[in-house]
Amino acid sequence: MRRLCFFSVLILLFSVICVGCTQKAEGPKPLLVWSGMDTEFPTLVSQCKRFEEETGIKVELLKVPFSNLNNKFLIAAPAGLGPDILVGPHDWIGNLCVADLLAPIPQGTIDESRFVPVSLEAARFNNQVYMAPLCMECLALFRNTDLMPKRPETLDELIEEAQKIQKDSNNRIKGFYFESKQCYFAAPFIMADGGYLLGKDKSGNYNPTDIGIDNEGAILGAEFLRDLTQKYQLIGEGATEDLSKSLFVEKNPRENRAAVIIEGPWFLQGVKNSGVHYAIDPFPLTASGQRPKPLLGLQGLMLNKYSERSSEAAKLIAYLTNDENMTEMSKASGRPPVTKGALKMCADDADTMAFAKVCEDGVPMPSHPAVAQLWDPLRQSLELIITGRVQPAPELRTTHDRIVKKIELMLE
């Protein structure tokens, strides 16, 4: 019995030692990163590999279809199965914070003085930074320089020149064309003279029931959008984004074309491949001297609140947001970087710098969950206004009240 007990203890000790050896050999689990990036993903892979080589911290990078990424994180994170770092757009921050799934970016991880101010404004929720920005995007004007050689400084100049182009071509060329009833494309004009989507309180937090789509400035913007179709006859009622892009890259003079459209940096590569001569312009000034303000979007790094390796994750976040890596990511994506140093490195890229300038004057897409209640009612109103079936002022006031009621129900 004594021998049996002795051998049993030896076996037990041996097992413990073996387990310990196995754990030591395996080491800690790698940092897990989920990203929905497409063209930029190979660049992110290369950067994570370099981080591994320089720090010895292993990184596992998983490409998740963008359409599934948000829901997948919402389910996996609270179960302890999510990534340490989520790469996604800043307008997810509100929903993920309300679900208590994000941790603020640890203090000292990023030097906020390096970043373009509007990017940090977009990355904040309830006065805390929940994203380390990587790149930014917004809408601007794409102008065919063969069809419209001179950049218009005002909307009146743009309309005048667009009408002339359309008339001289017997309506074969669209002078100014975009999907005006789509909220994202309409927003710059709604917000140009004082309209807004969600207001903020004195502390800088979003006020979910302060909706600015029916004030005097917003009504002026809606009237302008209506006039593009009804008065100036530049944009047909069936205008779509896909059609505007197709018209812009068309080079055959016998086919329909567009002189000026509104698009974002994701369209750049297609334009370059087409061979069309183009320029990227800021929005021309309104009659009151104000510049239309496009919605700003960010792609960046968010930290899972349930991560057990937040300190190592912070090191990776700091590494990916250094100027060199951010410049590399910008070249891969076509989107401007968000640090002053990286922008200097991109100074010789005219398209990047043109979009960066427009982005810096943009309005961050509200990240509060309440903004989701705006899109359908506002799109329906814009369609009625643009087609001339209703007057802008009463329609927007009715829509405002309807949206506020929807948000109040959501917040109950």
Side-chain angles (χ1 to χ4, degrees), residues 32-348:
L32 182 58
V33 180
W34 285 1
S35 170
M37 288 178 167
D38 190 9
T39 55
E40 310 96 322
F41 191 77
T43 300
L44 187 59
V45 170
S46 298
Q47 292 177 354
C48 287
K49 284 183 178 178
R50 291 202 299 267
F51 174 79
E52 283 187 349
E53 293 167 359
E54 294 178 20
T55 65
I57 299 172
K58 297 293 183 182
V59 180
E60 182 180 340
L61 185 57
L62 180 64
K63 184 176 182 180
V64 180
F66 184 79
S67 57
N68 298 334
L69 183 58
N70 192 19
N71 286 338
K72 187 179 177 70
F73 183 78
L74 282 166
I75 294 168
L81 301 174
D84 299 287
I85 296 172
L86 176 69
V87 186
H90 85 273
D91 53 320
W92 288 0
I93 292 173
N95 273 325
L96 297 177
C97 283
V98 169
D100 200 27
L101 298 181
L102 294 184
I105 301 300
Q107 194 168 9
T109 300
I110 59 174
D111 178 359
E112 294 187 10
S113 66
R114 296 173 49 236
F115 287 76
V116 175
V118 73
S119 70
L120 289 176
E121 180 187 349
R124 283 192 179 92
F125 188 77
N126 290 340
N127 288 324
Q128 289 187 291
V129 175
Y130 281 93
M131 171 179 281
L134 284 175
C135 55
M136 54 188 173
E137 64 185 24
C138 70
L139 295 172
L141 269 61
F142 279 75
R143 173 170 52 91
N144 183 316
T145 54
D146 293 328
L147 299 176
M148 190 182 291
K150 183 182 176 183
R151 168 186 155 186
E153 296 295 334
T154 67
L155 287 175
D156 285 343
E157 289 178 17
L158 173 59
I159 290 167
E160 182 180 356
E161 186 62 24
Q163 285 183 307
K164 183 178 184 300
I165 289 170
Q166 206 153 293
K167 181 181 178 181
D168 291 349
S169 67
N170 293 320
N171 290 319
R172 187 168 43 81
I173 299 175
K174 306 292 184 185
F176 181 39
Y177 199 79
F178 64 100
E179 190 174 356
S180 54
K181 63 180 178 293
Q182 215 263 37
C183 300
Y184 184 59
F185 290 88
F189 305 101
I190 297 293
M191 299 190 296
D193 286 300
Y196 55 92
L197 300 180
L198 286 186
K200 292 185 176 182
D201 60 25
K202 292 180 180 179
S203 62
N205 296 322
Y206 284 110
N207 179 350
T209 57
D210 181 9
I211 311 298
I213 64 163
D214 66 333
N215 62 25
E216 184 177 348
I219 292 167
L220 282 173
E223 289 173 344
F224 173 78
L225 293 167
R226 175 200 60 192
D227 290 347
L228 287 175
T229 295
Q230 302 300 321
K231 181 179 179 180
Y232 306 123
Q233 297 185 343
L234 290 170
I235 299 177
E237 294 180 3
T240 66
E241 181 186 4
D242 285 344
L243 181 55
S244 70
K245 291 192 290 187
S246 296
L247 291 172
F248 192 80
V249 296
E250 178 56 63
K251 292 186 295 182
N252 189 337
R254 296 184 179 181
E255 299 293 337
N256 289 333
R257 289 185 291 171
V260 177
I261 68 168
I262 298 176
E263 264 301 334
W266 51 85
F267 184 50
L268 273 170
Q269 195 57 52
V271 177
K272 291 176 181 178
N273 292 341
S274 74
V276 169
H277 299 142
Y278 69 95
I280 308 298
D281 297 336
F283 285 83
L285 301 175
T286 68
S288 64
Q290 301 300 311
R291 196 171 298 281
K293 304 168 185 177
L295 290 167
L296 172 79
L298 293 181
Q299 285 283 330
L301 307 159
M302 293 167 274
L303 181 60
N304 184 350
K305 182 178 180 178
Y306 292 91
S307 171
E308 296 178 353
R309 304 187 64 200
S310 57
S311 60
E312 291 92 343
K315 291 178 182 178
L316 177 57
I317 289 171
Y319 181 81
L320 293 175
T321 54
N322 69 38
D323 291 341
E324 292 77 14
N325 283 328
M326 200 173 288
T327 302
E328 191 177 50
M329 186 64 71
S330 173
K331 291 178 179 179
S333 68
R335 293 163 172 80
V338 291
T339 60
K340 299 163 191 175
L343 284 170
K344 286 182 180 179
M345 293 179 179
C346 296
D348 60 345

